[in-house]
Amino acid sequence: MKASLQAKMGQSMTLTPQLLQSIRLLQVTSLQLEQELHQILERNPLLEQEADEEEPVSAGDGHDAALEAAAWDELPEPMFLSGGSHAGDPDNDATARIAAGESSDPRQRLLQQLQLRCNARELAMAAWWLDCCDDRGYLEGDPFDLARHGAMQLADELPDTDATALLAARQRLLLEGDWPGMAAADPRECLLAQLRTLPASDARALARRIVGEQLETLARHELPALARQLDASPAEVATAVALVLSLQPHPVEQPPEPEPAFIVPDVIAWRGGGGWQVRLNTRSAPRLRLCAHAEQASGHAGMRGLLDEARWLLRSLGIRNETLLKTSRVLVTRQQAFLEQGEEAIAPLTLKDVAEEIGVHESTISRITTGKYIQTPRGTLELKRLFAVRLEGAEVSGAAIKAMVRRLIEDEPAHAPLADEVIAAMLARQGIRVARRTVAKYREQLCIAPARMRRRERGPAPMARLG
């Protein structure tokens, strides 16, 4: 192979750690921003938190903010921007320090619970059985065959473990453990394991007979046949069947529902002074400033890096606040009718419209409105909620037409529901021309049944819905 040299010319953009930080600050939510700022306060002694006051935050110099915002306008969407700390270390991601929720892997969740009461040997046997289970928690094979195979597989790790010990561990740690029925061979064994954990009663005894002897009859919902075959009264069978139906069909226990998160509005909008007023919510994140002795640190080599970091952070926060405030003002101005009259008055508005008005790229508007909320007299809304796509061939947005469809159906006569083509004709009389299939699409999105299923007798009754 012959070696050669070639000269090439190209253009590329180098993202500095400071620019990455500015981009990240645009898209983080108020709660994430608050947590990051508290962490920065702990590690940078040249920053301090301003005292809380009721006065609104100054918007800053809009011209400077627009110039700074142009630096990241043409960047690709940030898959890589979620990483990297303020010092540019990719292994020290600030977002990784945010507490994560419980693992979605049932094997990991159950092993974490078993660690509290099992020794290393028992934990290893339980982990082996869990590796033999499918996503529902059932064994993927015969328990005795799996136990013989497991004894050979674990011979080096657990020398004294045989098939009998593995079967005993499965029974005690999993079938009768924290998740009753885990590692069961079939649904019958899973249900019987769950029934054994319930207090003794006549209903439990009959339920165990149903599951153990007549599970196929129960699956066919033949309750009279169950009563005859078990020599029990229909009432006793009904009570036992209700007990069986209250059990989990699969042994895998779902993670607990997360506690509802509280929404902290980033922007507050209200009507006053002859128009709509918009300001940032100063309570959503701490306000930072340089401490009194910060300038003196510039002469110290070890502190100069902290001073540069503090100055850039304050500048990035100013850009973020300026962009958020300007975007919110445009949204409120363009959607005044929606805020005053409701969903039917929401105007068509896109990211491009707002970006052109404030002089930035669409990606900047997308980042600054993601996960941000505005408090209005109509409620606390996500900023994305104020965007609406114009319906093709109409002068109103699709969201407004959907709201009109909902209102017309809610006001329809109970005995004469409106068909989709009738709703389309009623909208056409209002100057809104939409096809019947468009009305049907919006009706289905609202989970409203067709007209033939909504027909009912005269009188108050709830509107029929799908699903």
Side-chain angles (χ1 to χ4, degrees):
M1 180 180 292
K2 183 179 179 180
S4 63
L5 294 176
Q6 293 182 348
K8 293 184 179 181
M9 181 179 295
Q11 290 182 338
S12 62
M13 178 179 291
T14 302
L15 299 178
T16 64
Q18 292 82 5
L19 185 56
L20 287 174
Q21 179 195 55
S22 299
I23 297 172
R24 289 188 64 250
L25 290 182
L26 274 180
Q27 58 194 20
V28 298
T29 64
S30 58
L31 294 179
Q32 292 173 336
L33 178 63
E34 181 179 6
Q35 184 169 0
E36 287 200 28
L37 294 184
H38 280 302
Q39 293 171 351
I40 293 173
L41 279 172
E42 292 178 358
R43 74 167 186 262
N44 195 328
L46 302 183
L47 286 171
E48 63 182 10
Q49 183 174 350
E50 295 184 15
D52 292 334
E53 298 178 2
E54 293 298 329
E55 61 182 9
V57 175
S58 173
D61 188 352
H63 178 68
D64 291 343
L67 291 178
E68 293 290 344
W72 59 72
D73 273 345
E74 297 296 338
L75 293 180
E77 284 304 316
M79 289 183 61
F80 62 93
L81 298 180
S82 59
S85 69
H86 301 294
D89 183 4
D91 296 328
N92 184 20
D93 183 8
T95 58
R97 294 192 290 270
I98 300 175
E102 192 173 6
S103 173
S104 59
D105 184 0
R107 181 180 183 275
Q108 294 298 327
R109 298 202 310 272
L110 183 53
L111 287 177
Q112 288 175 359
Q113 296 181 22
L114 291 175
Q115 283 178 348
L116 301 177
R117 61 183 182 87
C118 296
N119 55 38
R121 181 174 180 273
E122 293 173 332
L123 202 62
M125 289 190 290
W128 187 88
W129 280 113
L130 291 177
D131 287 339
C132 298
C133 295
D134 58 18
D135 294 338
R136 301 174 302 164
Y138 290 113
L139 289 178
E140 296 179 321
D142 181 76
F144 297 97
D145 294 339
L146 291 174
R148 288 191 293 269
H149 176 69
M152 294 185 294
Q153 186 174 347
L154 297 176
D156 295 335
E157 182 181 353
L158 304 174
D160 299 332
T161 301
D162 55 9
T164 304
L166 275 175
L167 289 171
R170 166 179 169 264
Q171 183 72 31
R172 180 170 57 88
L173 300 177
L174 299 177
L175 275 177
E176 301 175 358
D178 296 332
W179 297 359
M182 192 66 187
D186 50 38
R188 188 190 309 274
E189 188 177 27
C190 174
L191 296 176
L192 288 174
Q194 295 180 54
L195 286 171
R196 284 195 294 268
T197 64
L198 300 179
S201 64
D202 295 338
R204 190 192 76 160
L206 187 57
R208 292 184 64 177
R209 290 185 60 194
I210 292 175
V211 173
E213 304 170 11
Q214 303 295 334
L215 189 58
E216 293 77 10
T217 307
L218 174 62
R220 295 192 297 268
H221 303 284
E222 298 177 356
L223 299 188
L226 279 177
R228 292 193 303 270
Q229 294 169 1
L230 297 174
D231 193 20
S233 67
E236 293 173 338
V237 170
T239 303
V241 168
L243 184 60
V244 174
L245 295 179
S246 67
L247 304 176
Q248 295 291 337
H250 306 306
V252 171
E253 188 174 292
Q254 297 301 321
E257 292 292 333
E259 296 183 1
F262 296 96
I263 294 177
V264 179
D266 301 85
V267 187
I268 300 175
W270 73 98
R271 190 171 182 82
W276 282 90
Q277 308 295 324
V278 181
R279 71 172 178 87
L280 298 180
N281 181 15
T282 58
R283 305 286 184 178
S284 61
R287 291 181 291 168
L288 307 184
R289 66 184 178 189
L290 290 174
C291 60
H293 59 277
E295 296 301 331
Q296 303 174 3
S298 59
H300 192 280
M303 302 292 288
R304 193 175 298 119
L306 291 176
L307 180 59
D308 293 340
E309 178 188 11
R311 286 174 174 169
W312 186 269
L313 174 66
L314 295 178
R315 187 170 185 81
S316 300
L317 288 174
I319 295 172
R320 179 186 189 273
N321 293 338
E322 174 71 19
T323 308
L324 179 59
L325 184 60
K326 292 172 66 176
T327 301
S328 302
R329 284 175 173 167
V330 173
L331 291 174
V332 170
T333 300
R334 300 285 289 269
Q335 298 294 5
Q336 286 189 26
F338 163 71
L339 296 175
E340 295 172 0
Q341 303 172 26
E343 292 186 359
E344 294 187 22
I346 189 169
L349 186 63
T350 63
L351 295 174
K352 183 179 180 180
D353 298 334
V354 178
E356 290 178 350
E357 186 159 343
I358 66 176
V360 296
H361 193 263
E362 294 178 43
S363 62
T364 301
I365 303 300
S366 176
R367 294 186 182 103
I368 201 62
T369 54
T370 299
K372 313 297 191 308
Y373 292 84
I374 180 171
Q375 179 179 315
T376 70
R378 190 164 288 278
T380 300
L381 310 171
E382 189 175 7
L383 287 178
K384 294 283 190 183
R385 177 70 178 79
L386 299 179
F387 293 97
V389 179
R390 183 188 305 275
L391 190 66
E392 185 178 357
E395 296 298 324
V396 297
S397 66
I401 296 177
K402 186 187 296 187
M404 296 177 189
V405 171
R406 181 196 295 116
R407 175 179 54 82
L408 290 173
I409 294 178
E410 288 176 347
D411 295 340
E412 68 185 5
H415 62 286
L418 302 176
D420 295 338
E421 55 270 18
V422 176
I423 296 176
M426 296 174 68
L427 292 175
R429 287 197 292 268
Q430 302 178 27
I432 303 172
R433 299 190 177 277
V434 294
R436 182 204 60 80
R437 62 180 180 274
T438 303
V439 175
K441 179 186 70 173
Y442 287 147
R443 175 180 54 74
E444 292 174 356
Q445 292 177 358
L446 294 169
C447 297
I448 300 177
R452 65 180 182 277
M453 298 177 60
R454 301 199 306 271
R455 185 182 302 276
R456 56 189 184 273
E457 298 299 328
R458 293 179 182 270
M463 185 169 55
R465 291 188 176 272
L466 294 174

